[in-house]
Structure formats: structure tokens, C-alpha cells
Amino acid sequence: DGGITQSPKYLFRKEGQNVTLSCEQNLNHDAMYWYRQDPGQGLRLIYYSQIVNDFQKGDIAEGYSVSREKKESFPLTVTSAQKNPTAFYLCASSIQGGANTEAFFGQGTRLTVV
Amino acid sequence: DQQVKQNSPSLSVQEGRISILNCDYTNSMFDYFLWYKKYPAEGPTFLISISSIKDKNEDGRFTVFLNKSAKHLSLHIVPSQPGDSAVYFCAASVSSGSARQLTFGSGTQLTVLP
């Protein structure tokens, strides 16, 4: 089945450690996105990528890094510089340049930093 | 500065009645609007969308209305069912650029009472 897979679903890390969240899609979408959701807030864009080997910062990129070495994969690293990393992280993908198309989301990763 | 606002954090409706969820936006460049439904600990799923060239789009029990002059859109669900209980996010995007960056509202928790 086509879709977006995020792993793991739950992740615990100690403060000061970097952690990488996985996102894989087999929808043949060019564009991929990372969002963060906090209680009572909407989804905020962290990074997005329109094509392999290219990515741009979103609204809240500080403390995060990404790579896009393959079309199917867009991993997100939460670095120790991220001041408040505990959140629900969502990966999405969409057709590149598609007019009036929606983004498809993965199931999310809940990251807890202790 | 929130460009997409959902001013009602929660809404309760009796089963069988109409649910009306509202969304306001400030950016007049937005030309495509979407509604997503989200269950706890899951990714959002696309529900319905509308282009700025239309003022209404209907899909089964779901209808989205767009009032461009008021920069307001609403989602009507009729009749409401207990399974509709979820958080509903409205989102908006601009057609410029090839990756559709979605700007999300903060969500409205809909509870449909049996």
C-alpha cells in the first residue's frame, strides 16, 4: 500500500542528545515536509523539500536539521540546540508543483526529552 | 502573527445535528483551503478542500464554504455522527512556488454526543 511511514511512533531521549526521526514515502511525491504540533497549537512547518538534495527552512527551523538524499526519505534530526524538543512531529508529502493538491501525512512521532 | 485562525478550540454537537466549524485568515494571497481531521496520536487526514475560485464545495456529509470578502471559511457536517469526533484543522496555501506550504489553524475539537 502507498503511504508515508514515520518511525518510531514514540521516542524518548535524554536532554542534550541528538535524535533522528525517520520518514519514508512510496507515493512518488517530490515534495516532503516536517511539521511540529504542540498542545493547543496548529501544525508549524519546520523544514520542507521540493526535490532531492534540496530543502528550505520553514517557520521554526532553529535546532533542527534535515537531509534529502533520496526521493523517498526525509529524515529530521532534532539537535541539542532545540530548546523545547518535546512535541508531536508529523511528516507529510505532496505532488511537486501540483495545483490544488493536498498533503498526505504520516502517523507521527511523539518525542519526549527527559 | 497567526495567518489562519480557528477561534473556537472546542465544539459539542448532538448526533444528527449540524456541526459548523469556522476558520478565518488574514493573508489575501491564500488561494487554496483545506480541512483536515485528526485523531489523537495520529497524523491528520485530508477531508475536503476548496479553491478560491469557488465559494462552495460539497462531498457527502461535508460542505466547505468560502467567503473571500470576509476571509472566512467554514466546514459543515450534516448529519453529525459520533465517529466525527476529532480535532479539525483548517489550512491555507498560496499557489506561488512549487511546494505547497500549508499554514494551519490551531484546530477545533469536535465532540458529537450520542
Side-chain angles (χ1 to χ4, degrees):
Chain A
D1 287 355
I4 300 180
T5 302
Q6 289 185 243
S7 60
K9 192 170 178 65
Y10 299 97
L11 190 56
F12 295 88
R13 278 295 181 269
K14 289 185 179 179
E15 193 172 342
Q17 288 183 335
N18 291 356
V19 59
T20 297
L21 283 60
S22 168
C23 178
E24 304 278 331
Q25 55 98 0
N26 60 3
L27 299 167
N28 201 33
H29 286 169
D30 286 299
M32 296 186 74
Y33 315 80
W34 274 104
Y35 290 89
R36 167 182 172 142
Q37 186 191 11
D38 294 285
Q41 295 196 38
L43 283 64
R44 293 182 291 166
L45 183 65
I46 304 172
Y47 266 99
Y48 67 100
S49 168
Q50 301 181 50
I51 199 167
V52 174
N53 293 323
D54 182 66
F55 47 82
Q56 284 81 40
K57 293 181 179 179
D59 300 322
I60 54 166
E62 185 176 352
Y64 299 98
S65 66
V66 292
S67 63
R68 188 83 186 279
E69 297 176 4
K70 297 186 301 181
K71 186 177 184 178
E72 302 79 17
S73 178
F74 191 39
L76 173 74
T77 297
V78 185
T79 75
S80 56
Q82 167 50 234
K83 295 191 186 331
N84 188 17
T86 295
F88 188 55
Y89 290 88
L90 287 158
C91 179
S93 70
S94 68
I95 296 172
Q96 167 76 332
N100 302 340
T101 58
E102 69 272 20
F104 294 86
F105 283 84
Q107 292 296 294
T109 294
R110 165 111 19 224
L111 172 65
T112 302
V113 175
V114 295
Chain B
D1 178 31
Q2 271 191 298
Q3 296 188 66
V4 179
K5 296 180 183 179
Q6 293 177 257
N7 292 317
S8 298
S10 63
L11 174 69
S12 291
V13 171
Q14 208 68 36
E15 182 179 5
R17 298 290 184 96
I18 184 170
S19 295
I20 301 176
L21 294 94
N22 294 303
C23 181
D24 297 293
Y25 61 95
T26 57
N27 187 346
S28 56
M29 298 296 290
F30 287 143
D31 59 0
Y32 188 56
F33 305 88
L34 308 90
W35 284 94
Y36 282 84
K37 177 179 178 179
K38 185 181 181 300
Y39 294 115
E42 293 186 9
T45 53
F46 171 74
L47 198 55
I48 193 169
S49 63
I50 188 167
S51 166
S52 60
I53 62 173
K54 296 185 175 181
D55 55 17
K56 178 183 174 181
N57 188 25
E58 193 172 351
D59 183 2
R61 296 185 298 114
F62 303 92
T63 303
V64 56
F65 295 91
L66 176 63
N67 182 336
K68 287 190 293 294
S69 60
K71 294 191 178 66
H72 177 83
L73 68 154
S74 60
L75 174 68
H76 292 210
I77 306 173
V78 56
S80 301
Q81 300 173 353
D84 295 330
S85 297
V87 177
Y88 289 78
F89 289 99
C90 71
S93 68
V94 180
S95 61
S96 62
S98 49
R100 277 214 170 260
Q101 302 169 54
L102 297 176
T103 301
F104 286 85
S106 54
T108 296
Q109 171 70 57
L110 173 66
T111 302
V112 180
L113 304 167

